[in-house]
């Protein structure tokens, strides 16, 4: 299999080189007759670079095809770094769209290596091979679940999904603050709607059941089953409300009725800054009424031995101490299954505030959000007395960042912006660094480190 993948990679590289070579030469030609047949110096350099690249691919492929699968897998992940500069040249939303399509069509590497044992943990009765997840907002329409989980994420969250399809806000609506490692977006819950997403998740669920039935691989009763309804990892479904909806609770209830059968956990998103009036739902009374109605809708459905999917709420980083106390009180009173902390911020933390694009409306994500969201995370862990599993999200770009979130109270963590910049190679890097952090400080597992800075 390694040799086949190598041959395909080499073939693709050759094809791209052959297709691009005439274009590269033609764009340097002058219209003057005396220079038509002359090969410019820059074109020669380009061809030399192309040849060198192909040579490296062939040499590297020839080497890794002779070694074990784990080495070959590592080489493929490292090779994805070569693609990142090309994505950086594209419009941010176009690059985002291409990234989703690549994962959906299997044009991304698939992780074959086992995660470090110290990273495994159980949350909500579900076994996670590692605590690193992909946040909602990347795969909004559940197009690439299998490909994204195959990258080695412990869990992937799709959405936000709205009941009725909507286009979201006008373009442009995504802006890179590259020097700051940040992004500002105002997508506005662009969604293909719950019917389309349900069909995709249903087809995927059916395929997995078929594969399990037809599998001839022996299984041991002593093995701990990793993953959930989506296969090799845990799948979360993030629910949103339509922009013009007058009954927010009805929108979330509809999402539960249609999508919960395919989800390992559900998220009520009341914290996006790009839907007017949405964040008002974080108020004590509003949140209590909303969560109660959604819980009732979920619990009225028929469930098997696994029971209903856990219900989480995703909150904003732009909350006062009183707001956090109200949310914690509601979460404890209604026995909420978890909180995701946090969504994007409408503030512009340094150094993002110095960037000219900081004036763009929308939510900011990425490195400048890290301290703000981590402080909120720690505060909420203390307010909930560690009784509710928390998911840390906001500004994570390294294993050390993930470790700090865990020590601040997160059982699980999520990436988005760093993944958009760093690509697939970032995932094994973060997992490796996190395992090193745990070992360095004497923790045998992620669970042992949760909330270590809050005692």
């Amino acid at each position: 299999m390694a040799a086949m993948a190598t041959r395909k990679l080499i073939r693709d590289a050759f094809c791209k080189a052959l297709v691009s070579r005439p274009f590269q030469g033609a764009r340097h030609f002058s219209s003057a007759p005396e220079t038509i047949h002359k090969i410019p110096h820059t074109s020669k350099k380009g061809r030399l670079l192309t040849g060198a690249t192909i040579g490296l691919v062939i040499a590297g492929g020839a080497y890794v095809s002779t070694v074990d699968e784990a080495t070959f897998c590592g080489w493929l992940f490292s090779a994805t770094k070569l693609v990142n500069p090309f994505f950086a040249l594209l419009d941010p939303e176009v690059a985002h769209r291409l990234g989703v399509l690549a994962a959906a069509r299997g044009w991304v590497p698939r992780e074959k290596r086992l995660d470090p044992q110290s990273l495994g943990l159980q949350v909500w009765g579900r076994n996670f091979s590692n605590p690193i997840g992909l946040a909602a907002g990347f795969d909004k329409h559940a197009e690439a679940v299998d490909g994204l989980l195959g990258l080695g994420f412990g869990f992937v969250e799709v959405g936000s999904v709205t009941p009725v399809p909507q286009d979201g806000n006008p373009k442009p609506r995504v802006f890179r603050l590259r020097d700051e490692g940040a992004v500002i977006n105002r997508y506005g819950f662009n969604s293909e709607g719950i019917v389309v997403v349900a069909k995709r998740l249903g087809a995927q669920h059916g395929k997995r059941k078929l594969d399990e039935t037809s599998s001839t691989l022996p299984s041991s009763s002593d093995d701990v089953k990793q993953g959930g309804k989506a296969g090799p990892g845990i799948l979360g479904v993030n629910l949103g409300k339509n922009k013009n909806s007058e009954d927010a609770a009805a929108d979330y209830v509809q999402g539960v009725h249609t999508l919960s059968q395919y989800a390992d956990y559900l998220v009520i998103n009341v914290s996006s800054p790009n839907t007017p009036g949405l964040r008002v739902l974080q108020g004590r009374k509003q949140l209590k009424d909303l969560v109660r109605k959604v819980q009732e809708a979920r619990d009225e459905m028929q469930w098997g031995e696994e029971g209903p999917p856990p219900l989480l709420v995703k909150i904003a980083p732009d909350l006062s101490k009183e707001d956090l106390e109200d949310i914690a009180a509601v979460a404890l009173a209604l026995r909420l299954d978890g909180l995701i902390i946090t969504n994007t911020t409408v503030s512009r933390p340094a150094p993002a505030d110095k960037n000219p694009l900081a004036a763009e409306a929308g939510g900011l994500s990425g490195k400048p959000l890290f301290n703000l969201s981590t402080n909120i995370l720690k505060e909420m862990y203390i307010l909930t007395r560690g009784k509710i599993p928390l998911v840390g999200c906001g500004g994570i770009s390294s294993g050390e960042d993930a470790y700090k979130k865990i020590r601040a109270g997160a059982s699980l963590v999520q990436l988005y912006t760093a993944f958009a910049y760093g690509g697939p190679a970032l995932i094994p890097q973060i997992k490796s660094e996190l395992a090193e952090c745990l070992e360095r400080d004497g923790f045998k597992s992620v669970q042992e480190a949760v909330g270590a800075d809050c005692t």
Side-chain angles (χ1 to χ4, degrees):
M1 290 181 64
M4 289 177 62
T6 302
R7 285 196 295 270
K8 183 178 184 299
L9 188 64
I10 294 170
R11 185 179 66 248
D12 291 346
F14 268 118
C15 290
K16 290 176 182 177
L18 290 172
V19 170
S20 62
R21 190 175 292 178
F23 171 75
Q24 289 174 345
R27 68 180 177 181
H28 292 294
F29 286 165
S30 169
S31 59
E34 66 271 18
T35 61
I36 290 179
H37 301 293
K38 183 179 179 180
I39 301 176
H41 180 65
T42 52
S43 180
K44 289 180 180 178
K45 289 175 63 178
R47 293 184 181 187
L48 286 172
L49 181 59
T50 301
T53 302
I54 293 174
L56 287 172
V57 170
I58 295 173
Y63 168 71
V64 297
S65 65
T66 65
V67 296
D68 60 279
E69 190 176 53
T71 303
F72 182 72
C73 182
W75 183 79
L76 284 179
F77 271 87
S78 296
T80 62
K81 296 178 182 179
L82 300 174
V83 183
N84 291 349
F86 296 99
F87 276 81
L89 298 175
L90 301 173
D91 170 82
E93 187 164 349
V94 172
H96 179 185
R97 185 66 194 146
L98 287 177
V100 174
L101 290 176
R105 298 181 181 181
W107 296 344
V108 292
R110 198 164 188 88
E111 184 60 82
K112 301 292 185 181
R113 299 161 293 183
L114 294 177
D115 288 330
Q117 190 173 358
S118 62
L119 299 188
L121 73 162
Q122 189 177 86
V123 185
W124 311 307
R126 284 136 175 89
N127 295 306
F128 292 74
S129 63
N130 70 77
I132 311 301
L134 179 62
F138 185 83
D139 187 9
K140 293 175 176 288
H141 318 305
E143 299 171 88
V145 174
D146 183 65
L148 292 170
L149 284 173
L151 286 170
F153 284 110
F155 63 110
V156 167
E157 189 175 311
V158 300
S160 293
V161 187
T162 59
V164 179
Q166 62 181 27
D167 294 330
N169 292 322
K171 300 177 183 179
R173 52 192 180 182
V174 189
F175 308 89
R176 294 189 187 102
L177 287 70
R178 180 168 294 279
D179 292 342
E180 293 80 12
V183 166
I184 292 175
N185 93 82
R186 51 171 181 264
Y187 272 115
F189 281 178
N190 55 309
S191 174
E192 293 183 2
I194 58 174
V195 173
V196 171
V197 171
K199 287 181 179 178
R200 287 199 183 110
L201 293 180
Q204 173 187 277
H205 186 69
K207 181 179 181 298
R208 187 201 175 200
K209 289 297 182 184
L210 182 63
D211 291 342
E212 289 178 349
T213 303
S214 60
S215 175
T216 58
L217 294 176
S219 60
S220 169
S221 58
D222 296 331
D223 292 338
V224 177
K225 181 182 176 184
Q226 301 289 347
K229 296 180 180 179
I234 302 296
L235 174 65
V237 177
N238 187 298
L239 305 174
K241 68 175 285 291
N242 282 110
K243 181 178 181 179
N244 297 322
S245 174
E246 297 181 358
D247 190 344
D251 279 15
Y252 292 109
V253 166
Q254 190 175 351
V256 168
H257 284 159
T258 309
L259 298 175
S260 58
Q261 60 185 313
Y262 307 118
D264 292 304
Y265 71 88
L266 294 167
V267 181
I268 301 174
N269 187 352
V270 291
S271 52
S272 170
N274 303 315
T275 297
L278 185 69
R279 290 192 168 190
V280 174
L281 297 175
Q282 294 175 115
R284 185 166 188 152
K285 182 180 184 305
Q286 296 92 328
L287 184 62
K288 188 174 183 178
D289 291 343
L290 175 62
V291 171
R292 182 181 285 120
K293 288 178 181 178
V294 176
Q295 284 178 330
E296 290 174 353
R298 178 200 60 177
D299 295 343
E300 287 172 356
M301 299 174 68
Q302 293 184 346
W303 300 102
E305 294 181 359
E306 294 182 353
L311 185 66
L312 288 70
V313 171
K314 187 169 186 176
I315 68 172
D318 311 305
L319 296 169
S320 66
K321 178 72 178 294
E322 184 179 355
D323 293 331
L324 296 177
E325 290 173 348
D326 286 344
I327 292 171
V330 171
L332 289 169
L334 298 183
R335 297 184 179 180
L336 196 64
D337 297 300
L339 293 165
I340 299 180
I341 305 170
T342 64
N343 211 318
T344 58
T345 178
V346 294
S347 67
R348 297 295 182 258
D353 58 331
K354 305 299 182 183
N355 193 303
L357 290 173
E360 293 289 347
L364 180 140
S365 60
K367 291 182 179 180
L369 176 58
F370 181 81
N371 289 335
L372 175 60
S373 62
T374 305
N375 290 338
I376 297 289
L377 171 66
K378 185 175 181 178
E379 183 70 24
M380 189 57 72
Y381 182 83
I382 293 171
L383 288 171
T384 57
R385 303 186 293 280
K387 293 183 176 182
I388 297 175
L390 305 179
V391 181
C393 184
I396 297 172
S397 59
S398 68
E400 187 71 40
D401 290 341
Y403 182 55
K404 289 178 180 178
K405 293 279 189 185
I406 291 167
R407 291 184 63 102
S411 296
L412 304 167
V413 298
Q414 289 180 322
L415 316 177
Y416 184 169
T417 301
F419 175 63
Y421 281 125
L426 184 66
I427 306 165
Q429 175 188 322
I430 287 181
K431 290 191 289 187
S432 176
E433 292 172 351
L434 175 57
E436 291 174 0
C437 289
L438 291 170
E439 183 178 5
R440 178 193 69 202
D441 291 348
F443 294 113
K444 295 180 180 179
S445 68
V446 170
Q447 197 62 53
E448 287 185 3
V450 174
D453 290 339
C454 302
T455 56

